[in-house]
Amino acid sequence: MSGDAIIARLRAAIGTDQVLEPAVAGDRYRADFSGANPCSPRAVVRPTSTTDLVQIMRICSAAAQPVVVQGGLTGLAGGATPQPGEIAISMERMSGIENMDADSMTATVLAGTPLETVQRAAAAEGLMFPLDLGARGSCTIGGTIATNAGGNQVIRFGMMRNLVLGLEAVLADGTVVTSMNRMLKNNAGYDLKQLFIGTEGTLGIVTRAVLRLWPRQDSRVTAMVALQGFAQAVALLRLAQQHLSGSLSAFEAMWASYYDFVIANIPSLRSPFDASHPMTVLIEAEAADDAANHAAMERLLEEALEQGLIVDAAIAQSERDVSRFWAIRDGIGEVRRLIKPHCSFDISIAISAMPGFLERVDGELAAAFPAVRTLVFGHLGDNNLHLAVTTGHADDLPRLNDIVFAATADAAGSVAAEHGVGVLRRPYLHHARNQVEIDLMWRLKAALDPQGILNTGRVLPAATAEGAAIDCQGNS
Amino acid sequence: MSGDAIIARLRAAIGTDQVLEPAVAGDRYRADFSGANPCSPRAVVRPTSTTDLVQIMRICSAAAQPVVVQGGLTGLAGGATPQPGEIAISMERMSGIENMDADSMTATVLAGTPLETVQRAAAAEGLMFPLDLGARGSCTIGGTIATNAGGNQVIRFGMMRNLVLGLEAVLADGTVVTSMNRMLKNNAGYDLKQLFIGTEGTLGIVTRAVLRLWPRQDSRVTAMVALQGFAQAVALLRLAQQHLSGSLSAFEAMWASYYDFVIANIPSLRSPFDASHPMTVLIEAEAADDAANHAAMERLLEEALEQGLIVDAAIAQSERDVSRFWAIRDGIGEVRRLIKPHCSFDISIAISAMPGFLERVDGELAAAFPAVRTLVFGHLGDNNLHLAVTTGHADDLPRLNDIVFAATADAAGSVAAEHGVGVLRRPYLHHARNQVEIDLMWRLKAALDPQGILNTGRVLPAATAEGAAIDCQGNS
């Protein structure tokens, strides 16, 4: 069917102003936050309801018209960036909170609702929605479900998968799967929501969700500690999980390669320590009682000092200190501007395999590129490492990717821990998953989207070899 | 193919003594713990490795021979009970811990390993595997994965789904899906393990798993509190989640219908309270520091008293007290013997819908059966209610089921919260899931087991109406 014919049909079905042609849509829908490979969609459709979306998918399905789904466009893997010939479905008009149930501690929300809107609505009820990440103001609940978003509190609350109780999704053929479970325990049949969490829109389009909320925690205690190395950090992690029990909400490890670089290069940052240390960890605990929370953190640090696990420690005495500590961890945003061009990795590795992995990567990178610089930090408790690697030369980026991903594969790690696969990680998926797994993913794709019109070209490697678009800048 | 021919082929493939004929196998493999509809399998095969199981499934697949998978046979839903003509695959010889990684806090285990074996191995490393349920000595890890087992600590650690990082499964055609992820964060492609968790062996047979461990918690504080009603219990739940933060590990609510009955009828039980109260709750918190843990519980109870949420409270002063408190909660085992015949329900309902649900059920049951007795208790924080209902007459059981499940459906609840669907709950699945959901489950079943040889007749309702075997005694 011609583009004009489809657009006319979509307009007739859901209204003229819900369907934008590229010239009208402008740049907004041409790329996600990675900025890689921007491309104008054939049209942008903006459903206001599940009913609209059903009509859209029936029309696209009948015409075998490929679509790409867009939430807040804050992804870093190119997944929401249109590919030639696709129609973009923007979920921005399906925004709003349908229901806040304080007794059941659930929120029912539309997929296009920004994360921060949900966080605020929960707070207004004395509750908390614990998913949190930098893009909170723009990223949508649907997007965080589709990508199984992580962030800073995963060690305590898990990823988005653990925070979704139920959802509604529209399949490629327009079928509405309404599975709005509100209970923590429900084993009545297959847990179908799992098909739509973390599958990046390739199996269905999430339209609504039931989210799990927690009581708000009024006390936060944040500490920065200096350590002599990785083994001490691992021992400290276990001690922190014991002492802070279920209150431990962040355990952010920064190797000296990262820590010293951001302190030296970002003028606004101040370290709480005078000396440089092989490793620094930001620890945070949230609880109800401020005195008890502080006492637990102090007991932890005393015990860690006694055991020789840490060499220095600072507990934030004010909100300003908390911000100062987190600013060092969040310096990665600035790093991205300071060391262009670079490859930025979002990998995960079992903790026991990390030392070997890092030693190998350091060795191989240094052998291949004597002037290489590798900054390492990560959510240690979640097995998630972020590496920023640069030689100063864009030509070296593919080789840097190959070295790091090969080591990741040999450590049985993941090439996409929390940022998703999208388009940019897709050529590397086989480093993290075997062929039987990939075949089984294709079996699911074929069962749910036999024409392959939903976010095709994302996540799943092509059946045949192909030259995928790789953009090292954007894949952080 | 004749039974003899298949048995000969299986023996040739995996060894004669791995294949038992019914006369040799005896009663052991004829029914799960429900005891409902016992049936001898055509043969019992006992693989000792994934390779054995691949051979078994290739042979059965080639012959379109249906199989039933058996773990510890402790299920209550009839799922592991053979149906006529099935071969039983017992996982009992695939037992053992392959790897304990204390730094990564993971255990890699074979599917036939008893839960208690894993708990003990974790404890030996100063760690904890938090799944816990009465059948811990017999139930297997594979079975707890297949049924997404729950238990007493779900409020803190989640169900089995949250405790499995990776797994290996064998599909109906003998394909081995090895997806042994060890990381908390891994978004590299579809999370295939979800296909095998809670699907009760209908999509594949779990052979190995990577489990998540936690640091051991040395302090446990247990309290029993008396309340004036449900609204107070809900307010107390939220207060407990605030005050005990992440330490809250159990919140077991007992209505007077249950509490007063077990105190009156089980001679070994002693209530810590003199009077009868509309509701009693057992609260438990686990943490590292005993003094701080007790202080937090005391602060919680003081605050609850001040707010008028509780009317009486007792904190366990000894392990003997802890056992006494839990014995009241666990009195349900004895109840099953005391009030035969009865229907026993394992349902879940959003908390805000519980009062309306209970009022309706009480009203309809009393109207239909003036002499009805309904005992109610449950894991309130998990939305999970257990009801035991009896009129004293077996003839009334189907009607009792209908009344309770219809009310569950109207409250958007689940007919199978933690015990699974199996065979016994299968006729009621449509009360908890809509037709589009059931169709989608079938689409998955067809994609993974096109011949329908794996645990067929479990979970999924038949495409056409049928008279399913219902056994009210066994379905608790």
Side-chain angles (χ1 to χ4, degrees), chain B residues 121-173:
Chain B
E125 301 280 345
L127 297 169
M128 165 181 65
F129 182 62
L131 189 81
D132 194 38
L133 39 90
R136 66 185 71 80
S138 315
C139 71
T140 63
I141 290 299
T144 58
I145 293 173
T147 58
N148 186 28
N152 293 329
Q153 298 202 92
V154 169
I155 194 171
R156 175 162 177 184
F157 295 101
M159 301 183 78
M160 192 62 177
R161 189 181 299 283
N162 292 44
L163 312 179
V164 179
L165 295 174
L167 55 74
E168 179 182 85
V170 174
L171 304 186
D173 62 5

Side-chain angles (χ1 to χ4, degrees), chain A residues 47-378:
Chain A
T48 58
S49 66
T50 299
T51 311
D52 279 357
L53 187 57
V54 169
Q55 304 245 47
I56 293 166
M57 290 317 300
R58 283 189 185 150
I59 291 166
C60 290
S61 176
Q65 164 63 48
V67 300
V68 58
V69 189
Q70 298 186 336
L73 287 160
T74 60
L76 294 165
T81 299
Q83 293 184 8
E86 288 179 341
I87 283 176
I89 300 175
S90 169
M91 300 299 286
E92 63 196 330
R93 290 189 169 180
M94 287 187 65
S95 175
I97 291 168
E98 291 188 335
N99 175 260
M100 292 290 298
D101 182 340
D103 280 346
S104 305
M105 293 200 282
T106 59
T108 306
V109 308
L110 293 171
T113 312
L115 170 57
E116 195 168 38
T117 302
V118 176
Q119 291 175 331
R120 286 188 178 158
E125 301 280 345
L127 297 169
M128 167 181 62
F129 182 63
L131 188 81
D132 194 37
L133 39 90
R136 66 185 71 79
S138 314
C139 71
T140 64
I141 290 299
T144 57
I145 293 173
T147 58
N148 187 27
N152 293 328
Q153 299 201 92
V154 169
I155 194 172
R156 176 161 176 184
F157 296 101
M159 301 183 78
M160 192 63 176
R161 190 181 300 281
N162 291 44
L163 312 178
V164 179
L165 295 174
L167 55 73
E168 179 183 84
V170 174
L171 304 186
D173 63 4
T175 301
V176 182
V177 182
T178 304
S179 197
M180 298 287 278
N181 168 62
R182 299 167 64 199
M183 287 81 70
L184 265 64
K185 279 186 183 165
N186 185 352
N187 278 341
Y190 300 176
D191 189 8
L192 297 174
K193 67 174 177 284
Q194 307 296 345
L195 290 170
F196 308 104
I197 302 174
T199 51
E200 303 190 25
T202 58
L203 298 182
I205 304 171
V206 176
T207 49
R208 300 194 293 150
V210 183
L211 306 176
R212 181 179 179 190
L213 307 177
W214 272 259
R216 195 176 57 213
Q217 304 277 272
D218 289 326
S219 164
R220 172 166 69 170
V221 53
T222 312
M224 197 80 108
V225 300
L227 306 93
Q228 288 191 303
F230 181 78
Q232 289 79 3
V234 172
L236 179 65
L237 171 63
R238 188 184 309 182
L239 201 65
Q241 288 182 309
Q242 275 172 325
H243 276 263
L244 304 174
S245 192
S247 305
L248 179 66
S249 53
F251 193 91
E252 302 289 312
M254 295 165 274
W255 277 252
S257 61
Y258 170 84
Y259 192 90
D260 294 351
F261 179 85
V262 296
I263 294 293
N265 289 283
I266 304 177
S268 61
L269 301 183
R270 292 276 172 285
S271 173
F273 310 121
D274 294 328
S276 167
H277 300 282
M279 185 162 268
T280 309
V281 174
L282 186 159
I283 309 175
E284 197 161 82
E286 293 186 337
D289 187 285
D290 201 49
N293 198 22
H294 273 81
M297 181 67 84
E298 281 157 20
R299 274 196 307 274
L300 164 66
L301 298 183
E302 279 163 24
E303 173 81 17
L305 266 172
E306 270 173 35
Q307 292 189 17
L309 298 179
I310 61 177
V311 294
D312 207 345
I315 296 182
Q317 301 299 320
S318 63
E319 278 303 308
R320 203 169 147 265
D321 283 353
V322 172
S323 301
R324 275 177 57 206
F325 291 179
W326 275 103
I328 297 172
R329 158 66 183 77
D330 293 338
I332 183 60
E334 189 66 20
V335 165
R336 293 197 176 114
R337 282 179 286 272
L338 288 171
I339 59 162
K340 283 194 163 179
H342 73 278
C343 277
S344 178
F345 297 94
D346 162 44
I347 61 179
S348 61
I349 307 269
I351 285 178
S352 58
M354 274 188 198
F357 166 81
L358 288 171
E359 196 180 336
R360 167 172 164 182
V361 164
D362 278 344
E364 292 189 4
L365 288 175
F369 305 103
V372 75
R373 177 186 285 281
T374 306
L375 314 187
V376 185
F377 69 99

Side-chain angles (χ1 to χ4, degrees), chain B residues 382-395:
Chain B
D382 313 331
N383 316 109
N384 187 186
L385 291 182
H386 294 292
L387 280 71
V389 187
T390 185
T391 63
H393 302 289
D395 291 351

Side-chain angles (χ1 to χ4, degrees), chain B residues 69-392:
Chain B
V69 189
Q70 298 186 335
L73 288 161
T74 60
L76 295 165
T81 299
Q83 293 184 7
E86 287 179 340
I87 285 179
I89 300 175
S90 169
M91 299 300 287
E92 63 197 330
R93 290 191 170 182
M94 287 187 66
S95 176
I97 291 169
E98 292 189 335
N99 175 261
M100 292 290 296
D101 182 341
D103 280 346
S104 305
M105 293 201 280
T106 59
T108 305
V109 308
L110 293 171
T113 312
L115 170 57
E116 195 168 36
T117 302
V118 177
Q119 291 174 332
R120 286 188 178 159
E125 301 280 345
L127 297 169
M128 165 181 65
F129 182 62
L131 189 81
D132 194 38
L133 39 90
R136 66 185 71 80
S138 315
C139 71
T140 63
I141 290 299
T144 58
I145 293 173
T147 58
N148 186 28
N152 293 329
Q153 298 202 92
V154 169
I155 194 171
R156 175 162 177 184
F157 295 101
M159 301 183 78
M160 192 62 177
R161 189 181 299 283
N162 292 44
L163 312 179
V164 179
L165 295 174
L167 55 74
E168 179 182 85
V170 174
L171 304 186
D173 62 5
T175 301
V176 182
V177 181
T178 304
S179 196
M180 297 287 279
N181 168 63
R182 299 167 64 199
M183 289 80 70
L184 265 63
K185 280 185 181 166
N186 186 353
N187 278 340
Y190 301 176
D191 189 9
L192 297 173
K193 68 175 176 283
Q194 307 296 343
L195 290 169
F196 308 104
I197 303 174
T199 51
E200 303 188 24
T202 57
L203 299 182
I205 304 171
V206 176
T207 48
R208 299 194 294 149
V210 183
L211 306 177
R212 183 181 178 189
L213 306 177
W214 272 258
R216 194 178 56 212
Q217 304 277 272
D218 290 325
S219 164
R220 173 166 69 169
V221 52
T222 311
M224 197 79 108
V225 300
L227 306 93
Q228 288 191 303
F230 181 79
Q232 288 81 2
V234 172
L236 179 65
L237 171 62
R238 173 146 10 147
L239 201 68
Q241 288 182 309
Q242 275 173 326
H243 275 263
L244 305 174
S245 193
S247 305
L248 179 66
S249 54
F251 193 94
E252 302 288 311
M254 294 165 273
W255 275 252
S257 60
Y258 170 84
Y259 192 91
D260 294 350
F261 180 85
V262 295
I263 293 293
N265 289 283
I266 304 176
S268 60
L269 301 184
R270 291 277 173 282
S271 173
F273 309 121
D274 294 329
S276 166
H277 300 282
M279 184 161 270
T280 309
V281 174
L282 185 159
I283 309 175
E284 196 161 83
E286 293 186 337
D289 187 283
D290 200 49
N293 198 22
H294 273 82
M297 181 67 85
E298 281 158 18
R299 274 197 308 274
L300 164 67
L301 299 183
E302 280 164 22
E303 173 81 18
L305 267 172
E306 270 173 35
Q307 291 189 18
L309 297 180
I310 60 177
V311 293
D312 207 346
I315 296 182
Q317 301 299 320
S318 63
E319 278 303 309
R320 201 168 149 266
D321 282 354
V322 171
S323 302
R324 275 178 55 207
F325 291 180
W326 275 103
I328 297 173
R329 158 66 182 78
D330 293 337
I332 182 63
E334 189 65 21
V335 165
R336 294 200 174 110
R337 283 180 284 274
L338 289 170
I339 58 163
K340 283 193 163 180
H342 73 277
C343 277
S344 177
F345 298 94
D346 162 43
I347 60 178
S348 61
I349 307 270
I351 285 178
S352 57
M354 274 187 197
F357 166 82
L358 289 170
E359 197 180 333
R360 169 173 161 180
V361 165
D362 278 344
E364 292 188 5
L365 289 174
F369 304 103
V372 75
R373 177 186 287 280
T374 307
L375 313 187
V376 185
F377 70 100
H379 317 281
L380 188 62
D382 313 331
N383 316 109
N384 187 186
L385 291 182
H386 294 292
L387 280 71
V389 187
T390 185
T391 63

